[in-house]
Structure formats: C-alpha cells, structure tokens
Amino acid sequence: MTVLVSALCFPAAAEGTGKSYVYDNYGNAMAIPDPYSVKESITDLNLNLAYDMVVQGDYLYILDRTPIAGMDNTYQAHIVVLNRDYELVRELTFTQDDAPFQFKDPRGIWVDEYGTIYIADRGPGDTAGQVVLATNDGVVTKVFGKPDSELMSQSSSQYYPVKVLTDDLGIIYIMVENEYRGIVTIDQNGEFQGYFGSNNVTLTGDVLMTLFWRNFMTEDQIARMQQILPTEYTNFTIDDDGFIYCSRGATNDMNELIRKINCKSKNVLQYTEQFGDVGLTSVRGQTQKTRFAAITVDDKGFITTLDTTWNRLFQYTSEGEIMYIFGGQGQQNGTFQSPVDVDSWGDDLIVLDQAYGTVTVLEPTTFAQNVREGQYLYSKGDYQASLEPWYAVTDECMNYLFGYKGIGQALYMQKDYVGAMENYKLAGDYENYSAAFQLYRTEAMQDMFTPILIVVVTLVVLWAVYKILKRVGVLKSRKLVLDESGKIKYVFHTLFHPIEGYQEMRYNKKYSMAIALVLIFLYFLTDVVSYLNGGFIFVDNTDLSRYNIVITFVMDVGVIALFALANWLMSTFFEGKGRLKETWIYLCYATLPVTFYNLLYVLLSNVLTLEEGVFLTYIGIIFQGWMIIMMIFALQGLHMYSFKRNILSIICTILAMLVVLFIAFLMFNLFIQFFSFIETVVKEVMYRMVVGF
C-alpha cells in the first residue's frame, strides 16, 4: 500500500529530504513531494548558543550568547545581522554607559519598525529576569524588571521572560516561563497593562476526577495536591494586521496548540480540528506528543510551526488547516539536530539550529509554490486564477487531498456545483460536499419542476380513470393469491401484527425455512447495497479496499445465528416450546423492517444533506426498534412465554452469547498456540536433519 501511495506522487525537481507527508481522512500518513528544499545552509556564523531570531525590514537578527569569563551566570549578548542575501552585515554587542552590558540569560529578541532592539533576559536560578531595550547600535536605553503590580505579586513562580515583541501601539508583550495566566503586557514606561490571551484548563477525564475529589478533601490536602493549571505558551509572533499567533507545548487538547489572538484577547483561528501529528508514537511507555516550540506567519498569511519532538515543520493555511509536514531529525540537508526557532522571509523559511550553530534557509519547491499560490489566490477571491496551480498540484501528486479540496472550493465559488462535488468527494470533504450538493439539488429541482408536475398530474388522472372504470364495472378486481398455503402472506402479516401474527403462525404452521433463508439473505444483501450505494455524505465508501464483506456477513447473519442458538439453549431452562429450526425462522422473519430500511437508506442518503441527516438517524432508530420489537414478540409467541419470562430469557441469551464468544476466543487462541508449537517442532527437526544431530 505504501509503495502504491508513493507512486502517486512524482518527486519534485529540487532536492529535499524525502520525509514530507500529510494525513489522509483515516489518519494515515501519505508521502508527498517535498514542499521545501534547502536554498542555503549558513555554517560560518560562529554562534555559541543561539536561542532566537527575528526578521525586520531587510535584515535578519540572530540572538546568540557568550559566557563572560570568570563570572558565573553572566553572559554577553551577541547579535548577528544578515542581509536579504543572507550575507553577514555586522555583529553587535550591548553597552551601557560605555561599559559592556551584562545579561543574565538572554533568550528572546525582537526588533520593532524603528530599529529598537528588545531582549528577553530570563535570569538564572532564582534571579528574576528582565526586558532590555537598546538602540540598533547596541546601546542599552531601558531595563524593565518584573512589573510592579498586585496581580504579578500574587504569582508564586519567579519572573522569567523568554520571548518579547511589540505592536504598532508600542505595547510590549512578554512571554514569561511558567506563567499560565497569559502573556504579560507593559507599556513603553514599564507599567503593567494586564494579561493577554489567557489560556483555559483542558477538561480531561483526569481533571474532572481531580475536581470531583477536591469536594471531599480538607484544605491541607487540597494545598498539597497538584494544581490544575492551563498549559503555558512556548512562543509567539505578530502579523501585519496586529493578530498575535501563539504556540503551546504538549497538551491533551491538540485543538489548542496554535492560537490566533485578536485585540480583545480572543482566539479567532477558524480551524478547530487537531493540530500537530495525528499518529502519536510511544517511546518506553511514554506517548510522544507534538510540541510546538516556535511559530511564524509569512507575508501571505501562512502559518509555520516548529515541532521539537521530532524536529518537523508544519505549515498551515491562514485559517489553520494543515498543508504539509516536512523536515525531521537527521544530519542531511533539510533535517535538524536541535532547532530552536523558525522565521519567514518572503517565501523563504529560516530555521535556527542551536546544536550545529547553523541557519538553514528553505525555499518552496514547485509543488509548494503551486499549493501556496492556489490557496493565496482563493483567499483573495480570484477563484478562476486559483484553478491552474491547484490542477498542477494534483497532477504532480494525485493523492494530495488538500489539492482536490482547493479545486472544489474554487469551482464552488464559481457555481460549478457538480465539479465541486466531484473534487470534494476525492478530498473526502463531507461538509463542503453537502453544501455543494444542497445548491445543486436546488437547481435540479427548479429545472425538474415542470416534468415532475406533468408526471404527478398524469398519475392523478390515470388513478381517477381507474376508479371510474372500476366503479362502472369495466374493470374487475381480483384477489391476489401469493401461494396456496398463505405462508408468504404471513411474512407481511407479522410486520403489523407481531403478537397475534407469530402466535397464529405457530398454530397454523405458516412458516417456511426457504422463506426464512431468502429473508436473511435479503437482509445481508441490502446491508451490502446500502454501504456500496449509500450517499457519500453519510457513507465513507470511496475506498472499497477498506470494506470487508465477510465482517458484514458475520455481523448480520452470524450474530442472528448465534442468538438463535443461544436462545434455543436457554429455552430448555425456561421451558420454551420452540425448536432450533423454528427459532431461526422466526428471527429471520423479524429482520424484514431493517431490510426495508436499508433500501430506504440508499434512496434518502443520496438526496439528503448533512444537516438533514438527523432525519435519517431517526428513521433508522424507528426501523431498528421495529425489528427488535418483532424479535421480542416472535420469541414470546414461539416459546409461549409470559412477557417477563421472555425478557429474562433474552437477557440470559445475551449472556450466553458472550460466554460462547469467550470460549470461541479461547479455542482460537489455543489452536494458534498449538499450530505454532507444531511449526516450531517441524523446523527444529528439519534443522537437526540438515546439521546431522
């Protein structure tokens, strides 16, 4: 399967890692052409321990730190500046009052539009950190320590600034380590302005149980127990419109790994599905979750994040929908050893690797250029122009579902609903397919209104003529005789009169094994047909290789057969009158409502939209409940039970089924072990015959 999937993607012309992938609708990773290739790898910057970088105007600023000889926990901040051609322009250090400025632990850098440099100085050990402001020449002008605020003083943790940025109004945003209440904001005078973008606690099962038990604990016990706090931010950035994008570390709520926060401190990112890797890996019993340590937003609004769990890069649309995943752990070009930051410069991506002290510049390949161009043109409303790059994407990689979705969206906006539906189906996008189908259905009903009206009027006229001819005696009604014994008639009679119908069927022997076998076959057949021909919105039948008809047969015929056997066995304890053959026949008769529903499902699932699917659910509940009621009264009439005894018998039947399944599982496991033992013995004998002892 992997070979086939890989064959559907033609390799990009530019050199890449070959480790790029996306996920399909089933959560399986699918190989795609590398979206980015290495444009340049800068290794001669003499970086000691780089932590952060930022692009401002025509320059890239990289923050490095160097220990000051003879002084513990004291560093000299070292800034490396590159131009647009990634050439070293200058290096600068910081001074104050003509003396070198001593930093505690510089971690984050920001440069505003006026050239002012901001350094987030974490501070070692229990030493509180600070934010340092300097001119573009490295002259320190201001140093802001912990803001003087009652809210800040309530925090039990130390003040450790690790990232900093500013907006157009000059507000300084400080990301503080272990600060769960949000981003600290101060003005240009260092005055505390409040918390920005506060996180919420993710309500998991463990959290709910902890909150429950707190109601029964003493104050001392509550004080000693672990606090329930939201996950803190790991990095942030700001776009030209003033939105602040934040990344979070590993958390149980994978929908909140990325946040786009507006001026009202609300997350306005439209995408609400899971961020990061879908397939999580377990190492030594510990689940390895995605941990975004850096985030950047380019000029076209595309969001790129850096996962330090597996050193991968994730690129999302401006709404937060994944486009591709690339990079990885390694030593070849395009992979990283210990990346700490990612930034964007035009279409290029820049990755800072702390272990190697290198800056890797990545440029989009033809594949990514087309993906980005198609998505960008669509977001700008140029739907027709976006089709060309989208078609180029799907030509290069036929299993890239996001490309088909892009085509579907462009065609939808141009009111080509049929074409949009076809591409949405290829993309496995049920919601958008439903929206396109709804508009297509409206147009089709408008076009078909006149023909439908003519057909309805014609049928009404023919019905009236038939009634008139029958009344005057020209046509005579004939009684339909299905068979001489009336056995088929009782099949339908029990549908609407299950209590008396099954009792009469027993006394008059109006049942047939042949009819029962036909009914159970139709039950199984219509179940298969409902899957193969059900509407795409409700049935995931695009990949028939995932469908196993044997499982359907076991779930339909096998379960009823096992129930019939278990019920017949239980009838010996409850003094039931029915035989095994009769039990099987009665249960087969009772499947008729679901057989009708399966056929109705094929029709309705192809004409209803996703929002109207609730009616299909209700209809299914009615028909399945109908079948259950028929089974209950069938067994009651067959075995001549009272209602209470019948219900008790059914409960015992279900328990007997579980016992039978458990025994079957044990026997299967025993046979597997027995054959494995025989295989081992045969191999041992053959080996000894070869070696001669």
Side-chain angles (χ1 to χ4, degrees):
M1 185 64 182
T2 305
V3 175
L4 177 60
V5 169
S6 301
L8 296 176
C9 295
F10 301 101
E15 179 187 1
T17 64
K19 298 181 179 181
S20 306
Y21 62 97
V22 290
Y23 288 103
D24 63 12
N25 297 317
Y26 308 105
N28 299 318
M30 300 188 301
I32 60 171
D34 287 310
Y36 281 80
S37 62
V38 177
K39 179 179 181 180
E40 189 172 354
S41 182
I42 308 172
T43 60
D44 55 351
L45 298 177
N46 296 322
L47 298 177
N48 180 63
L49 195 63
Y51 272 104
D52 200 10
M53 61 182 175
V54 64
V55 172
Q56 180 57 253
D58 295 328
Y59 298 100
L60 170 66
Y61 297 80
I62 303 173
L63 172 64
D64 187 30
R65 72 175 191 181
T66 304
I68 298 178
M71 302 182 66
D72 295 335
N73 297 324
T74 306
Y75 300 88
Q76 175 66 52
H78 169 228
I79 305 298
V80 176
V81 184
L82 307 181
N83 62 16
R84 195 63 185 83
D85 296 324
Y86 302 103
E87 298 172 341
L88 180 63
V89 176
R90 63 191 175 110
E91 301 181 46
L92 61 94
T93 56
F94 293 87
T95 60
Q96 186 179 41
D97 299 331
D98 296 327
F101 185 84
Q102 297 176 359
F103 287 88
K104 302 173 182 178
D105 187 5
R107 293 292 187 93
I109 183 174
W110 179 258
V111 181
D112 65 16
E113 58 183 340
Y114 305 107
T116 302
I117 299 175
Y118 299 76
I119 302 293
D121 192 12
R122 180 187 181 278
D126 295 332
T127 304
Q130 59 191 3
V131 174
V132 179
L133 279 66
T135 66
N136 205 255
D137 295 326
V139 178
V140 175
T141 57
K142 296 179 181 179
V143 177
F144 296 138
K146 184 176 182 179
D148 184 12
S149 167
E150 183 178 352
L151 286 176
M152 293 291 296
S153 62
Q154 293 175 356
S155 176
S156 59
S157 60
Q158 284 289 349
Y159 181 68
Y160 295 140
V162 289
K163 301 293 177 184
V164 61
L165 60 79
T166 62
D167 62 13
D168 293 338
L169 300 177
I171 300 297
I172 303 174
Y173 298 81
I174 307 169
M175 186 170 292
V176 179
E177 188 178 291
N178 296 327
E179 180 57 78
Y180 63 90
R181 290 174 294 185
I183 300 170
V184 177
T185 59
I186 60 176
D187 61 16
Q188 289 292 325
N189 296 317
E191 297 294 328
F192 180 70
Q193 301 296 304
Y195 289 100
F196 181 82
S198 300
N199 283 318
N200 297 319
V201 175
T202 303
L203 292 178
T204 62
D206 293 338
V207 171
L208 292 175
M209 286 299 297
T210 302
L211 292 175
F212 173 76
W213 287 114
R214 284 175 66 119
N215 297 319
F216 306 97
M217 294 181 179
T218 64
E219 293 184 359
D220 292 338
Q221 290 174 326
I222 294 176
R224 289 196 301 268
M225 73 181 300
Q226 185 177 3
Q227 289 184 301
I228 303 173
L229 303 175
T231 306
E232 68 204 55
Y233 294 121
T234 58
N235 213 325
F236 59 2
T237 189
I238 189 170
D239 66 8
D240 295 336
D241 297 323
F243 291 100
I244 293 182
Y245 297 77
C246 301
S247 61
R248 298 174 67 181
T251 173
N252 292 326
D253 188 0
M254 303 294 284
N255 300 349
E256 288 285 330
L257 286 182
I258 300 176
R259 305 187 81 197
K260 177 182 179 181
I261 308 175
N262 63 8
C263 60
K264 295 183 179 180
S265 197
K266 300 295 183 182
N267 182 19
V268 295
L269 200 61
Q270 297 180 12
Y271 193 71
T272 57
E273 301 297 328
Q274 174 177 322
F275 292 105
D277 267 315
V278 175
L280 302 178
T281 304
S282 179
V283 178
R284 295 180 181 177
Q286 296 293 326
T287 301
Q288 302 297 305
K289 296 182 179 180
T290 299
R291 185 185 187 278
F292 288 147
I295 185 170
T296 184
V297 180
D298 61 29
D299 299 336
K300 295 182 178 179
F302 295 106
I303 306 169
T304 305
T305 57
L306 171 64
D307 168 34
T308 53
T309 301
W310 301 110
N311 295 346
R312 294 167 180 159
L313 295 170
F314 293 69
Q315 190 162 102
Y316 298 88
T317 66
S318 57
E319 290 79 25
E321 188 169 3
I322 186 65
M323 296 195 298
Y324 28 69
I325 306 166
F326 56 103
Q329 180 84 20
Q331 298 180 354
Q332 69 181 106
N333 279 343
T335 61
F336 315 101
Q337 183 65 29
S338 181
V340 291
D341 196 23
V342 60
D343 214 327
S344 57
W345 205 349
D347 289 337
D348 292 348
L349 289 177
I350 310 166
V351 180
L352 177 63
D353 195 313
Q354 188 180 80
Y356 292 148
T358 60
V359 172
T360 302
V361 182
L362 304 172
E363 61 179 353
T365 61
T366 303
F367 175 75
Q369 288 175 2
N370 287 324
V371 174
R372 291 164 58 87
E373 186 69 11
Q375 182 64 24
Y376 180 73
L377 291 174
Y378 174 81
S379 65
K380 295 300 181 182
D382 197 348
Y383 309 121
Q384 179 61 40
S386 69
L387 283 173
E388 182 178 352
W390 279 132
Y391 282 126
V393 167
T394 54
D395 287 342
E396 185 173 354
C397 186
M398 291 183 289
N399 67 344
Y400 187 59
L401 304 184
F402 188 71
Y404 294 109
K405 181 177 180 179
I407 297 173
Q409 289 176 323
L411 293 177
Y412 176 86
M413 298 305 297
Q414 297 181 77
K415 299 184 178 181
D416 182 0
Y417 302 123
V418 175
M421 289 163 55
E422 292 175 354
N423 283 277
Y424 283 143
K425 187 172 184 178
L426 292 172
D429 190 338
Y430 303 99
E431 293 185 4
N432 284 320
Y433 180 95
S434 177
F437 174 73
Q438 185 175 15
L439 295 176
Y440 166 73
R441 187 182 62 181
T442 302
E443 289 184 349
M445 291 298 294
Q446 292 174 351
D447 296 338
M448 296 173 60
F449 177 77
T450 301
I452 292 175
L453 181 61
I454 294 174
V455 171
V456 171
V457 172
T458 302
L459 292 175
V460 171
V461 171
L462 291 175
W463 180 80
V465 171
Y466 169 76
K467 284 294 186 180
I468 294 172
L469 293 177
K470 184 178 179 181
R471 183 176 301 176
V472 299
V474 176
L475 297 177
K476 295 182 179 180
S477 59
R478 296 181 180 181
K479 187 176 182 180
L480 180 62
V481 179
L482 297 175
D483 66 347
E484 60 182 4
S485 65
K487 292 181 178 179
I488 296 181
K489 177 182 177 180
Y490 263 82
V491 173
F492 298 97
H493 179 66
T494 56
L495 271 175
F496 305 101
H497 307 87
I499 299 178
E500 60 175 301
Y502 282 114
Q503 291 178 349
E504 292 176 4
M505 193 166 67
R506 172 178 173 79
Y507 288 123
N508 300 326
K509 303 297 182 180
K510 298 296 185 179
Y511 52 80
S512 168
M513 175 62 78
I515 295 175
L517 294 177
V518 171
L519 291 176
I520 194 66
F521 175 74
L522 291 176
Y523 173 60
F524 162 69
L525 181 64
T526 54
D527 195 4
V528 175
V529 171
S530 67
Y531 178 85
L532 298 179
N533 298 281
F536 167 72
I537 298 174
F538 303 102
V539 184
D540 186 8
N541 53 13
T542 54
D543 186 6
L544 296 181
S545 64
R546 300 176 62 88
Y547 179 66
N548 192 332
I549 194 172
V550 176
I551 294 179
T552 303
F553 181 83
V554 171
M555 295 300 296
D556 291 345
V557 182
V559 170
I560 292 179
L562 179 60
F563 185 86
L565 175 62
N567 184 263
W568 173 71
L569 293 174
M570 288 296 103
S571 67
T572 60
F573 296 100
F574 289 91
E575 299 180 353
K577 307 302 181 183
R579 297 176 297 169
L580 177 60
K581 173 184 175 182
E582 294 170 334
T583 305
W584 166 254
I585 292 174
Y586 274 49
L587 292 176
C588 290
Y589 276 39
T591 61
L592 196 57
V594 175
T595 299
F596 288 145
Y597 169 72
N598 289 337
L599 297 176
L600 186 62
Y601 183 87
V602 174
L603 173 64
L604 295 180
S605 64
N606 281 283
V607 298
L608 296 179
T609 63
L610 194 61
E611 292 77 10
E612 299 162 348
V614 63
F615 298 107
L616 196 58
T617 302
Y618 291 151
I619 293 173
I621 293 174
I622 292 172
F623 276 86
Q624 290 170 1
W626 189 356
M627 181 183 75
I628 293 173
I629 292 173
M630 287 186 64
M631 286 184 172
I632 292 174
F633 288 117
L635 296 174
Q636 182 174 334
L638 172 64
H639 295 300
M640 300 181 67
Y641 288 148
S642 64
F643 182 76
K644 291 183 179 179
R645 181 179 288 261
N646 186 42
I647 296 299
L648 181 60
S649 172
I650 292 174
I651 293 174
C652 292
T653 298
I654 295 173
L655 294 176
M657 291 175 64
L658 296 177
V659 172
V660 171
L661 291 174
F662 178 71
I663 294 175
F665 173 76
L666 289 181
M667 293 297 295
F668 176 78
N669 192 30
L670 180 62
F671 277 115
I672 291 295
Q673 293 181 7
F674 176 73
F675 285 118
S676 177
F677 171 74
I678 296 298
E679 182 183 10
T680 303
V681 171
V682 171
K683 288 182 177 179
E684 181 68 18
V685 171
M686 294 179 64
Y687 171 75
R688 291 186 177 276
M689 291 176 63
V690 172
V691 298
F693 61 90

